[in-house]
Amino acid sequence: MLQRAWTVSYGELVGLLLLTPVHVLMVVILLGAGMAMLWRARRPRDVYLVDYGCFLGEPHHRITFAMAVEHAHLMTSLIDNESASFMVRLYERSGIGEETSVPDSFRYMPPEQGIEASREEAELVIFSAVDKALARAALNPDGIDALVVACSFTTLTPVFADAIVNRYKLRADVQSVNLSGMGCSGALICIGLAKSLLQVAPPGRRVLIVATEILSSMFYAGTKREMLVPNVLFRMGAAAMIMSNSPERARFRLGPVVRTLTAAQDRDYRCAFQEEDDEGVTGINLSKDLPAVAANALRRNITALAPAVLPASELLRVAFSFLGHRFLGGRAEERCYRPAFHKVFQHFCIHPGGRRVLDEVQRGLGLSDGDMEASRMTLHRFGNMASSSLLYELAYIEAKRRMSKGDRVCMISFSPGIDCSSVVWECIKPAADPENGPWAGCIHRYPVKLHRQILKRTHEQQEHHMRPIKN
């Protein structure tokens, strides 16, 4: 009896042992699936750029070099001849071409700087950019869940975000943010904000970003040279982007977003400063230290960005180069190894704040003339349109049919502060009709040889327009 009981128990035990591997496998699978679900739930969502649109001025918005010179010298009640001549010389070296746009308010004598002029300009450029972004994304306005608007120097009541809600009848539960004072990094700061919103939102949510600068309220009617520079460089423009946390119909995947602020240093804080001159006229004082300060901020930003984008081999080379200079007594004239960013990124969009700013960035990152082509051509064709300029540069690359699936784009911009921001994109679907954008009708003329054009304009046009002033 005892032996039989033992035999039964032994058989049951054998049966249990035979089933154990199956049970173990099922437990492993269930645990693995649970861990995967937990990881996916806690992992930040990918964020995408669905599409974008840019304002394109009409022919009557165009201001040529000759028109700008004549306009400057006719405003004798506001700007003396010496200041007008200074702006002419600056214009000659700026890299700005003959087809940039200014608002109608600039054509008055003196320029119109009232609230109504600012509102008319804002509605013109913002609504045009949003219309194009919605059309390219094949999206109805009621599909927008959040709205972020960046405009630095002009804030009206109601704010521009409310004007967009009213125009497109966005839903009552739409989240809206209106940023001011962010300068030319405004678009990239908005992208960082949208990323934070979308990573914690349910799948399928969309954010509309609008970046612009309103010139009608920015015109400086004084004689201080440092404050006359924005009159020459800034032009009318706006860009709109639709971002989502769903890859459906998306064209770019968002990568690292890095923002570096150096405002703790007094020189950096005051290098681009809105203030009144000695006569009480308000303007933006651009210090001569701006290129050097921007270069320092760029170095800090790239130092923070590099670990997220560079391969291990490049990081090791940088580390060994630094240690060699730090501890092995490298010669002072020898520079540390500069990472080969052109091997990581196929395209660069650098804020076209002016020829000197672009020169500093090119030298600092070791970029080729080809890497800088989109930035310099955007400065030539459209001027400095503040933070929206970067989307015009992206449109240039696409209009040239240079964007391919898997290409990576690095965007870099600067703002007063100094604020240096960088954003990385990866193309997942090139544009179906890349020439249907702000470069339509003129992309075949680019790139142009800037230095030869500037030299020719200096000798021919300056002589023609300066002679009557001297008489």
Side-chain angles (χ1 to χ4, degrees), residues 100-343:
T100 60
S101 297
V102 296
D104 293 337
S105 60
F106 268 34
R107 303 179 189 278
Y108 292 98
M109 295 288 181
E112 176 60 50
Q113 296 179 274
I115 290 177
E116 203 55 41
S118 296
R119 182 172 283 114
E120 288 179 4
E121 180 189 348
E123 292 178 351
L124 170 68
V125 299
I126 290 175
F127 295 161
S128 173
V130 173
D131 286 345
K132 292 175 181 177
L134 292 172
R136 287 168 63 105
L139 182 67
N140 292 323
D142 58 6
I144 300 298
D145 301 286
L147 169 65
V148 184
V149 180
C151 183
S152 293
F153 301 106
T154 303
T155 303
L156 304 181
T157 302
V159 294
F160 295 141
D162 292 340
I164 295 172
V165 172
N166 178 263
R167 168 64 179 260
Y168 296 95
K169 309 304 178 188
L170 302 186
R171 303 195 315 263
D173 63 344
V174 68
Q175 297 175 300
S176 67
V177 180
N178 203 97
L179 301 178
S180 63
M182 294 293 101
C184 298
S185 289
L188 300 193
I189 294 171
C190 287
I191 290 171
L193 176 57
K195 178 182 181 180
S196 299
L197 292 173
L198 290 169
Q199 284 184 330
V200 298
R205 295 298 189 267
R206 301 181 186 90
V207 176
L208 171 63
I209 295 175
V210 179
T212 189
E213 200 60 74
I214 304 306
L215 302 188
S216 297
S217 59
M218 285 181 58
F219 185 83
Y220 172 67
T223 58
K224 191 171 183 178
R225 291 194 172 186
E226 294 85 349
M227 301 171 77
L228 287 168
V229 176
N231 287 356
V232 177
L233 296 180
F234 281 93
R235 293 293 187 272
M236 184 168 62
M241 295 171 277
I242 297 174
M243 296 181 62
S244 175
N245 55 10
S246 169
E248 183 183 1
R249 291 185 293 179
R251 298 192 45 236
F252 292 87
R253 180 186 292 106
L254 181 62
V257 178
V258 177
R259 185 182 178 194
T260 304
L261 187 63
T262 63
Q265 286 75 40
D266 291 342
R267 187 180 74 154
D268 295 33
Y269 175 66
R270 297 194 63 89
C271 70
F273 209 78
Q274 187 176 22
E275 61 184 9
E276 294 180 346
D277 63 13
D278 296 338
E279 304 299 324
V281 182
T282 302
I284 305 168
N285 190 330
L286 297 182
S287 168
K288 294 179 180 179
D289 296 331
L290 181 57
V293 168
N296 178 58
L298 175 64
R299 281 192 295 271
R300 296 189 182 189
N301 185 271
I302 292 301
T303 300
L305 176 66
V309 298
L310 291 178
S313 58
E314 285 294 301
L315 294 175
L316 286 174
R317 289 179 182 178
V318 174
F320 288 148
S321 176
F322 174 79
L323 291 174
H325 278 70
R326 184 70 175 83
F327 299 107
L328 300 180
R331 290 182 304 199
E333 63 271 16
E334 292 181 352
R335 294 184 177 182
C336 290
Y337 175 75
R338 184 164 49 195
F341 284 99
H342 63 277
K343 295 181 180 179

Side-chain angles (χ1 to χ4, degrees), residues 358-422:
L358 293 179
D359 290 345
E360 287 291 337
V361 174
Q362 181 174 6
R363 184 163 44 249
L365 296 183
L367 303 181
S368 67
D369 289 341
D371 294 329
M372 300 297 295
E373 182 180 316
S375 302
R376 296 192 187 280
M377 295 306 104
T378 297
L379 179 63
H380 180 271
R381 172 62 180 85
F382 295 102
N384 180 354
M385 297 167 292
S387 61
S388 66
S389 305
L390 297 174
L391 277 301
Y392 288 79
E393 295 180 26
L394 182 61
Y396 177 87
I397 297 168
E398 296 206 278
K400 281 293 186 181
R401 298 183 181 273
R402 296 172 182 170
M403 189 68 69
S404 302
K405 182 179 180 180
D407 282 1
R408 301 180 80 189
V409 184
C410 180
M411 292 183 170
I412 299 175
S413 63
F414 304 91
S415 288
I418 284 291
D419 182 310
C420 180
S421 297
S422 56

Side-chain angles (χ1 to χ4, degrees), residues 63 66-76 105-111 219:
I63 182 163
M67 294 168 63
V69 172
E70 181 180 20
H71 198 74
H73 284 301
L74 286 175
M75 289 190 296
T76 53
S105 60
F106 268 34
R107 303 179 189 278
Y108 292 98
M109 295 288 181
F219 185 83

